[in-house]
Amino acid sequence: MLHHIAIIGSGPSGLFCADALLKQRPELKIDVFDRLPTPFGLVRFGVAPDHQGTKAVTRQFDRLFGSSNLRFVGNIAVGQDLPLARLAEHYDAIVLALGAHADRPLGIPGEDLPGRYGSMAFVGWYNGHPDYYGLNPLLDRTGVAVIGVGNVAVDIVRVLGKTPAEMAASDICAHAAKAIAAAPLTDLYLIGRRGPAEASFTSAELAELGRLERVRPVVNKADLPNALPAGIDPAEAKIKEKNLQLLHEFAARSDAKPIKLHFLFHSVPEAVLGKSRVEGLKLANRTLDVGTVISAIGYRTAVHGDLPQPDQHGIIPNQDGKVADGLYVVGWAKRGPSGTIPTNRAEAKMVADRILADFANDTAPAKSGNAALDAWLAQQGLTPVDWMGWKRIEAAEIKAARQGSPREKLVDWAALRQAALSSETVS
Ligand code: NAP
């Protein structure tokens, strides 16, 4: 029986799932939908612009789209433009690969003041997400506080701390590079509510902070335990021991550099201060003189229209990836915002196996798939962006790149759609 599958979201979890399905059943017909006219989700908008090596996974996804049984259907918001119920009429299985797009709230007074941003918005701003490129964050004071000691917080202080020369080979958007270069930064704060042994950043990312040209990490030796608390999982303990070693090295430094990066541990944020904008950050143990506060404290899955609602943890309730008959979930929407890009590969394979096992037991006739759906989209006046449309965007971005950078991203919806739907031919 010829099955049709719709995957909602073209980030790593969705595309690893498509890969796992097609490896086992190359004849399956798979459509990958995305609200944006561009594929790759977190790889394009989440991964730091100076971590181009991490983005290289897109080459593998490029090859995947070489299969004539896999289509990209961008610029279509499932749940809004296209109800899930309508999709279910045409596809035998639907996989929600939605990621986690909403910032977790801090839940403290003052968090709505201008100058306080969530990491989704702030990272989206420098990575050219069409919803956030116009954020225009306040970066006009010498101090910036970043709340959270995970890898996203580390990405943010590193991107703020690097010089234009250090960012030259990155794909940071021109508007953000200009704003960061003009910011009068002297003090960056990385704020952990617990101790260094509980911080979730990883050692390679932490080590990078010690190699920045204009930034000196400042660590108070008194905050650092000499040994890890007992009972930590051995794999985790290895990372945390290395982290502690790096933090001890940072604590011993005294070199003069224009920007200090203060590591503050055991510092619980109590209030963002200010009347009409951020003027400071009150921690349980001190008050910081900062004009910008960025919270990098994790994400929740956000859904629209008739997509299933996330639970109180921000994930879509599921049993090993199954939400309901014919409906599955992968990635951050399934397990929460944790793990690296390769974590999704094994998990997506597991969910793909489950879908195929369910197909094997399914006696219902297969559904019609994309032909009928395409007719419905056209009737509604909706214009999907296909893989060639994305290739046109990509070609325009490569053409506009400054010297040394792989691309200058198109950042607004109109420019993206215009490039995608132009008649330009691309190879
Ligand atoms: P994360 O690792 O979960 O870190 C979140 C941080 O926010 C933790 O330090 C947490 O502290 C803190 N936090 C949570 N609620 C808080 C609150 N109300 N007040 C103060 N602090 C609070 O999440 P992430 O940094 O967003 O990263 C998400 C995932 O992507 C992670 O798996 C990460 O490793 C991965 N990632 C990887 C890379 C890379 O490999 N280079 C880059 C970016 C992201 P507690 O521990 O006390 O809760």
Side-chain angles (χ1 to χ4, degrees), residues 46 51 54 104-106 119 147-153 155 191-194 198-202 205 267 269 296-299 332 337-340:
H51 278 179
T54 310
R104 279 200 190 130
L106 272 169
S119 51
I147 300 175
V149 280
N151 280 330
V152 171
D155 280 349
I191 297 162
R193 60 180 171 178
R194 298 190 286 158
E198 287 79 32
S200 56
F201 46 55
T202 40
E205 283 65 29
S267 297
I297 60 169
Y299 305 113
W332 281 7
S338 66
T340 58

Side-chain angles (χ1 to χ4, degrees), residues 157-178:
V157 292
R158 189 183 68 254
V159 167
L160 286 173
K162 277 192 170 180
T163 61
E166 286 175 303
M167 290 300 279
S170 79
D171 65 353
I172 189 168
C173 293
H175 63 265
K178 196 169 156 212

